[in-house]
């Protein structure tokens, strides 16, 4: 048995089946998938690549035709793999060229988002600057790296990066810098070039980790990021396509959690309400949700402690083919734990262990 470690990566393939990747403490990558649409999972199977040494969580996103694209950062190299057929088969790992031949330093897997035409974009921070790699055509090949540099006045970007598409089809990208300030670039129109850097500042505390971004039912983006004070902070688009945001609001931290760690994750329930999950310093998974689609948030739900509680990495959540949410987290016992909505937008199962490899 090999203990798992860190945050899992979860996404839906073209036929609606979910696929999951997770690392073990030795840097090996493992894979499991739903055996049928919204019903049942395979056992964890080896999916290792040609790397060794420190590994960061995988990044996973669908291309325009529904095939999944996977990225891993290891040994100063960005590794890439993709499904060769919709929901069936993978090509194998290959190293992506770095922006310059002697470039070193790839500390995080990239933030991924699809352009309005379905081409996947990968955003990566290297040595304090951000770069973009984009598919050359829908689900086929990659262009050269494009630089986005470092914001003026910033001590350098830290990463990791998050990216998502707003309701009008534009891609928005967020990243925290070494001073704990949040920065943004955005497409000026769907499929168009990107803006320069926009300063989102901080909510009066130093921001700590990867932002989380999700689209509300009315198309507005909702943005969350943890602070070094262990609290969660929130902004949202005030209207789709206007480039205007609310300003910072504190969501606090749950009583008894001892502060929040790592980044939050979000997914939309079947009725359009966003649901948010994040790990506390107590090792429990904490939960809050929109009270109605695109409108208002609940208080913190009592802790959802998996039997292997005590893990310190983020969970991941995604909707299954029938829109029921599925939630995974690695516990301090090294097992992968799983919970799911028993009905669309309503009720959750008990935790079930997916075990260790």
């Amino acid at each position: 048995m090999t203990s798992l470690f860190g945050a899992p990566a979860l996404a839906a393939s073209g036929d609606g089946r979910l696929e999951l990747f997770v690392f073990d403490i030795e840097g090996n990558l493992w894979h499991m998938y739903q055996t049928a649409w919204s019903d049942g999972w395979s056992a964890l199977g080896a999916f290792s690549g040609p790397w060794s040494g420190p590994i960061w969580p995988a990044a996973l996103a669908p291309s325009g035709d529904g095939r999944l694209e996977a990225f891993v950062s290891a040994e100063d190299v960005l590794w890439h793999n993709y499904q060769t057929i919709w929901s069936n088969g993978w090509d194998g790992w290959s190293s992506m060229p770095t922006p310059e031949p002697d470039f070193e330093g790839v500390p995080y897997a990239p933030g991924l988002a699809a352009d309005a035409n379905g081409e996947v974009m990968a955003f990566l921070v290297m040595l304090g600057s951000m770069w973009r790699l984009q598919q050359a055509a829908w689900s086929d090949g990659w262009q050269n790296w494009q630089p986005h540099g470092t914001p003026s006045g910033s001590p350098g970007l830290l990463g990791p990066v998050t990216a998502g598409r707003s309701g009008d089809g534009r891609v928005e990208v967020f990243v925290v810098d070494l001073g704990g300030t949040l920065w943004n670039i955005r497409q000026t129109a769907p499929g168009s070039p990107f803006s320069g850097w926009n300063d989102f500042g901080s909510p009066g505390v130093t921001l700590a980790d990867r932002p989380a971004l999700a689209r509300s039912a009315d198309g507005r983006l909702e943005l969350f990021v943890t602070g070094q004070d262990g609290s969660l902070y929130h902004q949202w688009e005030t209207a789709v396509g206007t480039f205007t945001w609310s300003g910072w609001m504190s969501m606090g931290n749950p009583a008894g959690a001892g502060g929040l760690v790592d980044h939050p994750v979000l997914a939309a329930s079947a009725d359009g309400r966003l649901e948010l999950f994040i790990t506390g310093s107590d090792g429990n998974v904490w939960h809050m949700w929109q009270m109605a689609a695109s409108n208002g948030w609940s208080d913190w739900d009592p802790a959802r402690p998996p039997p292997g509680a005590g893990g310190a990495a983020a969970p991941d959540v995604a909707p299954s083919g029938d829109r029921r949410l599925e939630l995974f987290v690695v516990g301090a016992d090294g097992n992968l734990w799983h919970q799911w909505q028993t009905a669309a937008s309503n009720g959750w199962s008990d935790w079930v262990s997916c075990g260790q490899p």
Side-chain angles (χ1 to χ4, degrees), residues 33-152:
Y33 53 88
Q34 283 183 320
T35 55
W37 196 58
S38 304
D39 182 31
W41 286 81
S42 70
L44 284 161
F47 208 88
S48 292
W51 53 72
S52 61
I55 300 293
W56 301 98
L60 196 62
S63 196
D65 61 0
R67 294 181 302 102
L68 291 178
E69 306 266 349
F71 291 86
V72 166
S73 293
E75 299 176 317
D76 295 332
V77 175
L78 181 64
W79 297 93
H80 173 233
N81 203 340
Y82 60 90
Q83 285 182 320
T84 56
I85 302 173
W86 206 45
S87 302
N88 182 29
W90 291 81
D91 181 70
W93 292 102
S94 60
S95 61
M96 304 293 281
T98 51
E100 299 175 13
D102 59 350
F103 203 97
E104 294 182 358
V106 185
Y108 302 106
L112 304 176
D115 202 353
N117 62 7
E119 295 170 0
V120 171
M121 300 179 181
F123 298 88
L124 192 67
V125 167
M126 293 177 274
L127 298 180
S129 294
M130 194 168 75
W131 297 78
R132 171 171 49 91
L133 188 65
Q134 184 170 343
Q135 285 183 320
W138 200 50
S139 304
D140 181 31
W142 295 86
Q143 300 177 17
N144 295 325
W145 288 98
Q146 299 298 316
H148 289 281
T150 305
S152 176

